[in-house]
Amino acid sequence: MQIIISNSSKEPIYEQISKQIQSKILSGELTEGTALPSIRQLAKDLRISVITTKRAYEELEKGGFIYLIVGKGSYVAEQNLEMIREKKLRVIEEQLSAVISNSKEIGLPYEELQDLLKLLYEE
Amino acid sequence: MDNVIDIRGISKEFKEFSFDSIDLQIKQGYTTGLIGANGSGKTTLIKLMMNLLQPDEGEISVFGLDYATHEKAIKDRIGFVYDSNIFYESLNLKEISKIIAPSYKQWDRKKYKAYIDQFELPLKKPIKHFSKGMQMKASIAMALSHHAELIIMDEPTAGLDPTFRRELLDIFQEVMVNENRSILFSTHTTSDLERFADYIILIDQGEILISKRMDELQEDYALVKGNSDLLDRDTEAYFLNIEQSQGVFQALTNDKAQVQKVFGDYIVMEKASLDDIMFHMKAAHRRG
């Protein structure tokens, strides 16, 4: 499992780990039932402390992304991808509404906004 | 068992400083870093944990056992690295292993040989011709070769070049993959601890200033910089210690939210390194 940690990032290390594992689960790279490396093994591989790794796993467990079997290890939980997609869509709608009202404030026409979005999307 | 070492109410007087009713717990299954300036009492504390010194008052238990009745059993389960050479100087590593092997129940000859090879140490050269770094490596090889559950090291990275230091930290992490193991080590090189330690103990003049989880330490403490004009008796109260030079101050706080509220955009708040924390906490402590 490839995880890249940035020391200069403002984001705490445990968050970097949990986010990267989360996106691997959502993208389907890690499928339901897959065993994750043990906390201690991952700490060693990433050259970080046991507590930091433990915290990352706890975050993932709280978010329902993984589950723990005591004495065995951590596994990728079943994901309701449909529901996650719905949630994300709602967030995107909200963000776009904000973009539209900001555009109207400065009189930016729809066509220019569309061009801007297209440009950014294809970046 | 939660604590691998449990220190309760120990007191001991020394010329330079004294321990006055100290309580301290070292967690089992984790790496703890012991930091503090020279002469702060790190080595003395380690000697007390190893029963090389006895407290005037209080109790120390290791693995839940006390030294008075279980010294041999305790020592058998500890790998100890001391900051100066305690071996017979004229002997070589092969001869030394013959002497120390019988004193440990689980001495692992293969493992010892593997570390000696990995550390590129000569087997047949007398220790007295070793460099300081080589002596440290030899000492570490012995400490790791009897399946110890607790590794206690006093300045293990002192005198080692950065490449080997890094290699050594990898070895410690390898050791820690087994969850029954615990490591305690003192160091001046705080960067060794920043990523890899789970708990930090900061001491000064025999007093425990901080004993905390590393991640909580990094979240709670911050370095604050700003114009000295911002400081007065009221605003200074938000800081543990303040350094000023040329109209600018740099201070340590453990109340980030309050500082942000009071000073807003007038200040810059940064992550405090272990060095920053050690420096400011020591200054605050000495000021009294």
Side-chain angles (χ1 to χ4, degrees), chain A residues 94-117:
Chain A
E94 271 169 35
Q95 287 168 333
L96 282 179
S97 302
V99 168
I100 291 167
S101 67
N102 269 333
S103 307
K104 282 181 178 163
E105 263 177 44
I106 59 162
L108 190 73
Y110 173 69
E111 288 73 27
E112 274 181 46
L113 179 62
Q114 200 180 17
D115 288 345
L116 191 64
L117 185 66

mmCIF file of all heavy atoms in Angstrom, chain A residues 94-117:
data_model
loop_
_atom_site.group_PDB
_atom_site.id
_atom_site.type_symbol
_atom_site.label_atom_id
_atom_site.label_comp_id
_atom_site.label_asym_id
_atom_site.label_seq_id
_atom_site.Cartn_x
_atom_site.Cartn_y
_atom_site.Cartn_z
ATOM 1 N N GLU A 94 -23.937 22.897 -3.546
ATOM 2 C CA GLU A 94 -23.796 24.043 -2.650
ATOM 3 C C GLU A 94 -22.652 24.945 -3.091
ATOM 4 O O GLU A 94 -22.786 26.165 -3.151
ATOM 5 C CB GLU A 94 -23.508 23.566 -1.222
ATOM 6 C CG GLU A 94 -24.755 23.329 -0.404
ATOM 7 C CD GLU A 94 -24.423 22.610 0.906
ATOM 8 O OE1 GLU A 94 -23.339 22.883 1.466
ATOM 9 O OE2 GLU A 94 -25.240 21.775 1.338
ATOM 10 N N GLN A 95 -21.509 24.306 -3.416
ATOM 11 C CA GLN A 95 -20.336 25.084 -3.797
ATOM 12 C C GLN A 95 -20.588 25.849 -5.091
ATOM 13 O O GLN A 95 -20.205 27.005 -5.223
ATOM 14 C CB GLN A 95 -19.119 24.166 -3.943
ATOM 15 C CG GLN A 95 -18.596 23.693 -2.595
ATOM 16 C CD GLN A 95 -17.577 22.565 -2.717
ATOM 17 O OE1 GLN A 95 -17.608 21.811 -3.696
ATOM 18 N NE2 GLN A 95 -16.690 22.461 -1.741
ATOM 19 N N LEU A 96 -21.279 25.196 -6.027
ATOM 20 C CA LEU A 96 -21.565 25.863 -7.303
ATOM 21 C C LEU A 96 -22.514 27.044 -7.111
ATOM 22 O O LEU A 96 -22.380 28.080 -7.758
ATOM 23 C CB LEU A 96 -22.151 24.866 -8.311
ATOM 24 C CG LEU A 96 -21.124 23.938 -8.977
ATOM 25 C CD1 LEU A 96 -21.814 22.977 -9.926
ATOM 26 C CD2 LEU A 96 -20.074 24.743 -9.729
ATOM 27 N N SER A 97 -23.466 26.887 -6.191
ATOM 28 C CA SER A 97 -24.385 27.992 -5.910
ATOM 29 C C SER A 97 -23.617 29.214 -5.435
ATOM 30 O O SER A 97 -23.916 30.341 -5.837
ATOM 31 C CB SER A 97 -25.397 27.586 -4.831
ATOM 32 O OG SER A 97 -26.093 26.456 -5.255
ATOM 33 N N ALA A 98 -22.639 28.963 -4.589
ATOM 34 C CA ALA A 98 -21.811 30.067 -4.090
ATOM 35 C C ALA A 98 -21.056 30.715 -5.247
ATOM 36 O O ALA A 98 -20.952 31.943 -5.330
ATOM 37 C CB ALA A 98 -20.844 29.555 -3.032
ATOM 38 N N VAL A 99 -20.531 29.895 -6.142
ATOM 39 C CA VAL A 99 -19.802 30.399 -7.307
ATOM 40 C C VAL A 99 -20.716 31.277 -8.158
ATOM 41 O O VAL A 99 -20.346 32.372 -8.579
ATOM 42 C CB VAL A 99 -19.255 29.221 -8.156
ATOM 43 C CG1 VAL A 99 -18.759 29.707 -9.511
ATOM 44 C CG2 VAL A 99 -18.140 28.493 -7.407
ATOM 45 N N ILE A 100 -21.955 30.823 -8.366
ATOM 46 C CA ILE A 100 -22.905 31.571 -9.199
ATOM 47 C C ILE A 100 -23.242 32.924 -8.571
ATOM 48 O O ILE A 100 -23.210 33.955 -9.238
ATOM 49 C CB ILE A 100 -24.189 30.736 -9.448
ATOM 50 C CG1 ILE A 100 -23.835 29.548 -10.359
ATOM 51 C CG2 ILE A 100 -25.292 31.586 -10.075
ATOM 52 C CD1 ILE A 100 -24.893 28.478 -10.434
ATOM 53 N N SER A 101 -23.496 32.908 -7.261
ATOM 54 C CA SER A 101 -23.866 34.191 -6.653
ATOM 55 C C SER A 101 -22.673 35.155 -6.661
ATOM 56 O O SER A 101 -22.839 36.351 -6.862
ATOM 57 C CB SER A 101 -24.449 33.994 -5.251
ATOM 58 O OG SER A 101 -23.463 33.523 -4.394
ATOM 59 N N ASN A 102 -21.460 34.618 -6.486
ATOM 60 C CA ASN A 102 -20.260 35.462 -6.595
ATOM 61 C C ASN A 102 -20.117 36.043 -7.999
ATOM 62 O O ASN A 102 -19.779 37.210 -8.166
ATOM 63 C CB ASN A 102 -19.004 34.658 -6.263
ATOM 64 C CG ASN A 102 -18.654 34.737 -4.793
ATOM 65 O OD1 ASN A 102 -18.989 35.709 -4.133
ATOM 66 N ND2 ASN A 102 -18.003 33.704 -4.277
ATOM 67 N N SER A 103 -20.408 35.229 -9.017
ATOM 68 C CA SER A 103 -20.299 35.659 -10.410
ATOM 69 C C SER A 103 -21.286 36.779 -10.708
ATOM 70 O O SER A 103 -20.946 37.774 -11.350
ATOM 71 C CB SER A 103 -20.559 34.494 -11.362
ATOM 72 O OG SER A 103 -19.731 33.414 -11.035
ATOM 73 N N LYS A 104 -22.520 36.593 -10.207
ATOM 74 C CA LYS A 104 -23.555 37.592 -10.459
ATOM 75 C C LYS A 104 -23.176 38.933 -9.822
ATOM 76 O O LYS A 104 -23.442 39.985 -10.379
ATOM 77 C CB LYS A 104 -24.900 37.101 -9.923
ATOM 78 C CG LYS A 104 -25.544 36.077 -10.859
ATOM 79 C CD LYS A 104 -26.888 35.611 -10.353
ATOM 80 C CE LYS A 104 -27.512 34.629 -11.354
ATOM 81 N NZ LYS A 104 -28.605 33.861 -10.735
ATOM 82 N N GLU A 105 -22.559 38.847 -8.627
ATOM 83 C CA GLU A 105 -22.160 40.076 -7.929
ATOM 84 C C GLU A 105 -21.250 40.950 -8.778
ATOM 85 O O GLU A 105 -21.328 42.175 -8.731
ATOM 86 C CB GLU A 105 -21.442 39.727 -6.618
ATOM 87 C CG GLU A 105 -22.349 39.761 -5.410
ATOM 88 C CD GLU A 105 -21.612 39.341 -4.139
ATOM 89 O OE1 GLU A 105 -20.466 39.795 -3.948
ATOM 90 O OE2 GLU A 105 -22.183 38.556 -3.372
ATOM 91 N N ILE A 106 -20.350 40.338 -9.529
ATOM 92 C CA ILE A 106 -19.443 41.138 -10.349
ATOM 93 C C ILE A 106 -19.874 41.161 -11.817
ATOM 94 O O ILE A 106 -19.127 41.592 -12.690
ATOM 95 C CB ILE A 106 -17.978 40.647 -10.233
ATOM 96 C CG1 ILE A 106 -17.853 39.186 -10.668
ATOM 97 C CG2 ILE A 106 -17.445 40.832 -8.823
ATOM 98 C CD1 ILE A 106 -16.424 38.779 -10.996
ATOM 99 N N GLY A 107 -21.087 40.656 -12.074
ATOM 100 C CA GLY A 107 -21.644 40.710 -13.423
ATOM 101 C C GLY A 107 -20.928 39.835 -14.440
ATOM 102 O O GLY A 107 -20.832 40.168 -15.615
ATOM 103 N N LEU A 108 -20.410 38.722 -13.973
ATOM 104 C CA LEU A 108 -19.735 37.791 -14.881
ATOM 105 C C LEU A 108 -20.777 36.985 -15.654
ATOM 106 O O LEU A 108 -21.591 36.286 -15.036
ATOM 107 C CB LEU A 108 -18.841 36.849 -14.071
ATOM 108 C CG LEU A 108 -17.872 35.965 -14.838
ATOM 109 C CD1 LEU A 108 -16.707 36.779 -15.391
ATOM 110 C CD2 LEU A 108 -17.350 34.849 -13.941
ATOM 111 N N PRO A 109 -20.805 37.088 -17.002
ATOM 112 C CA PRO A 109 -21.831 36.364 -17.753
ATOM 113 C C PRO A 109 -21.614 34.852 -17.699
ATOM 114 O O PRO A 109 -20.492 34.376 -17.498
ATOM 115 C CB PRO A 109 -21.673 36.874 -19.186
ATOM 116 C CG PRO A 109 -20.421 37.638 -19.242
ATOM 117 C CD PRO A 109 -19.901 37.849 -17.865
ATOM 118 N N TYR A 110 -22.733 34.107 -17.893
ATOM 119 C CA TYR A 110 -22.725 32.652 -17.796
ATOM 120 C C TYR A 110 -21.674 32.037 -18.711
ATOM 121 O O TYR A 110 -20.946 31.112 -18.320
ATOM 122 C CB TYR A 110 -24.107 32.092 -18.127
ATOM 123 C CG TYR A 110 -24.140 30.581 -18.206
ATOM 124 C CD1 TYR A 110 -23.967 29.798 -17.061
ATOM 125 C CD2 TYR A 110 -24.321 29.935 -19.433
ATOM 126 C CE1 TYR A 110 -23.976 28.431 -17.136
ATOM 127 C CE2 TYR A 110 -24.325 28.550 -19.512
ATOM 128 C CZ TYR A 110 -24.156 27.796 -18.360
ATOM 129 O OH TYR A 110 -24.161 26.443 -18.440
ATOM 130 N N GLU A 111 -21.554 32.558 -19.940
ATOM 131 C CA GLU A 111 -20.621 31.988 -20.921
ATOM 132 C C GLU A 111 -19.174 32.058 -20.416
ATOM 133 O O GLU A 111 -18.412 31.107 -20.540
ATOM 134 C CB GLU A 111 -20.724 32.716 -22.284
ATOM 135 C CG GLU A 111 -21.979 32.420 -23.075
ATOM 136 C CD GLU A 111 -23.207 33.091 -22.460
ATOM 137 O OE1 GLU A 111 -23.039 34.139 -21.780
ATOM 138 O OE2 GLU A 111 -24.325 32.537 -22.625
ATOM 139 N N GLU A 112 -18.845 33.205 -19.801
ATOM 140 C CA GLU A 112 -17.466 33.352 -19.298
ATOM 141 C C GLU A 112 -17.204 32.423 -18.123
ATOM 142 O O GLU A 112 -16.122 31.863 -17.991
ATOM 143 C CB GLU A 112 -17.209 34.804 -18.893
ATOM 144 C CG GLU A 112 -16.764 35.659 -20.070
ATOM 145 C CD GLU A 112 -16.484 37.090 -19.667
ATOM 146 O OE1 GLU A 112 -15.808 37.285 -18.639
ATOM 147 O OE2 GLU A 112 -16.968 37.998 -20.373
ATOM 148 N N LEU A 113 -18.221 32.278 -17.285
ATOM 149 C CA LEU A 113 -18.096 31.368 -16.139
ATOM 150 C C LEU A 113 -17.896 29.933 -16.631
ATOM 151 O O LEU A 113 -17.056 29.188 -16.128
ATOM 152 C CB LEU A 113 -19.354 31.454 -15.263
ATOM 153 C CG LEU A 113 -19.389 30.538 -14.038
ATOM 154 C CD1 LEU A 113 -18.277 30.869 -13.066
ATOM 155 C CD2 LEU A 113 -20.736 30.627 -13.336
ATOM 156 N N GLN A 114 -18.654 29.586 -17.657
ATOM 157 C CA GLN A 114 -18.563 28.241 -18.234
ATOM 158 C C GLN A 114 -17.146 27.998 -18.786
ATOM 159 O O GLN A 114 -16.553 26.942 -18.558
ATOM 160 C CB GLN A 114 -19.595 28.119 -19.347
ATOM 161 C CG GLN A 114 -19.933 26.685 -19.673
ATOM 162 C CD GLN A 114 -20.971 26.603 -20.786
ATOM 163 O OE1 GLN A 114 -21.200 27.570 -21.517
ATOM 164 N NE2 GLN A 114 -21.589 25.447 -20.907
ATOM 165 N N ASP A 115 -16.632 29.024 -19.505
ATOM 166 C CA ASP A 115 -15.275 28.899 -20.053
ATOM 167 C C ASP A 115 -14.252 28.686 -18.945
ATOM 168 O O ASP A 115 -13.337 27.868 -19.053
ATOM 169 C CB ASP A 115 -14.907 30.167 -20.842
ATOM 170 C CG ASP A 115 -15.684 30.243 -22.156
ATOM 171 O OD1 ASP A 115 -16.255 29.206 -22.553
ATOM 172 O OD2 ASP A 115 -15.723 31.334 -22.761
ATOM 173 N N LEU A 116 -14.446 29.458 -17.869
ATOM 174 C CA LEU A 116 -13.514 29.390 -16.726
ATOM 175 C C LEU A 116 -13.540 27.992 -16.110
ATOM 176 O O LEU A 116 -12.511 27.380 -15.829
ATOM 177 C CB LEU A 116 -13.924 30.447 -15.704
ATOM 178 C CG LEU A 116 -12.943 30.715 -14.564
ATOM 179 C CD1 LEU A 116 -11.640 31.270 -15.090
ATOM 180 C CD2 LEU A 116 -13.563 31.672 -13.551
ATOM 181 N N LEU A 117 -14.739 27.487 -15.932
ATOM 182 C CA LEU A 117 -14.919 26.161 -15.345
ATOM 183 C C LEU A 117 -14.271 25.096 -16.225
ATOM 184 O O LEU A 117 -13.557 24.212 -15.750
ATOM 185 C CB LEU A 117 -16.419 25.872 -15.176
ATOM 186 C CG LEU A 117 -16.771 24.556 -14.468
ATOM 187 C CD1 LEU A 117 -16.313 24.608 -13.019
ATOM 188 C CD2 LEU A 117 -18.268 24.282 -14.532
#
